[in-house]
Amino acid sequence: MTTLEDLVNPGILSLTPYEPGKPIDELAREQGFTPDQICKLASNENPLGPSPLALQALQEALPHIHLYPDGAGRLLREAIARHHDLSVENVVLGNGSNEIIEFLFHVFVLPRTHEALCSRHAFAVYRLMAQLFDAPCRETPDPEFRHDLTAMRKSIGPNTRLIFLTSPNNPTGTRIPNRELEEFVRAAPAHAVVALDEAYIDFLDDPPPSVAWVREGKNVVLLRTFSKMQGLAGLRIGYALAPAPIASLLQRARQPFNTNLLAQAAAVAALEDHEHREKTRQIVRAGRIRLEESFARQGLPFVPSSANFVMVRVGNGDALFHSLLRHGWIIRPLKSYGLAEWVRVTIGTPEQVTRFLEIFPTALQETAAAPDSTGR
Ligand SMILES: *Cc1c(COP(=O)(O)O)cnc(C)c1O
């Protein structure tokens, strides 16, 4: 007899779906909190909220949502191109930059034939997408949670089509030094595309000159998003910057109206909101120092971060996660990354950081009684 499983594509059966940060409303329902009693430091969202210029643009766009969006996203792509001094042919829009990851697989990876490459503890979506396409995603070790580009170079095989580099990386917060990154991109083989995920590039004081590599026509695709710095995660809008021949291939993989009218309008405005960007940078920098100093004082190992979150080793990450939930705080346990002893904390507003550092030792103490995650 034919079972449902016989009908299913092979990658689907073994796929464990992405585990997102716990939504505020869900915790409110479960624990009897009102949503405003809850603080979410789980998904690296902007604690200042969306760019005010984006909110204004949304107001102006709202009466027009009976119309289809511009499928080509011309205005936003032109704005992005101007912003980076590129041409509109270099820009591809995605329903979040995560959708661009999917385009990359559609364009370059044949199931059971080609493979992707990424660093251990890199962002989970590359592996998920590889599995969906029934293609292996090879992982290289990451000593001290850093990309080992020498190991990655050696791991490139004849069937490698996509090489994912994430800088700064999520969930580790580590970055690739600019010089190393440049050498890697320049030496990359012609048969593989380097997908450089720069979701957190706006938090770097000295970002790499990656846009120049696009201009030079290297085999590189930069992944950018409006979800983090610009505070538009709920709208789902991101983009790729790539040499025109690669960008035009990626365009073929997308649905006709993959990004919506509101997201396009908000993103155009957010792109030029320098004030919101500077404010966010400042509070993230200050909050990161306070979190890291506090973890150091408590003798907790943490990974020095280049982004808007910090990864810290707490013993039993799940237990701490649940303990904090009871106090109305959502952070991110990292068991799904094979890091059961660690959690990731997004940097909040100064007030949130203060209150978090007050509750944190209490919550940590509550977990001391729980058996630690390694079973020891
Ligand atoms: C948050 C994040 C993204 C952004 O995803 P969107 O789909 O644009 O919201 C991409 N890459 C990494 C590493 C991230 O952490």
Side-chain angles (χ1 to χ4, degrees), residues 137 146 182 251 344:
C137 187
R146 291 171 186 285
E182 174 139 16
Q251 293 284 16
R344 192 192 66 201

Side-chain angles (χ1 to χ4, degrees), residues 32 42 132 351-352 375:
L132 197 54
E351 303 74 43
Q352 287 172 336

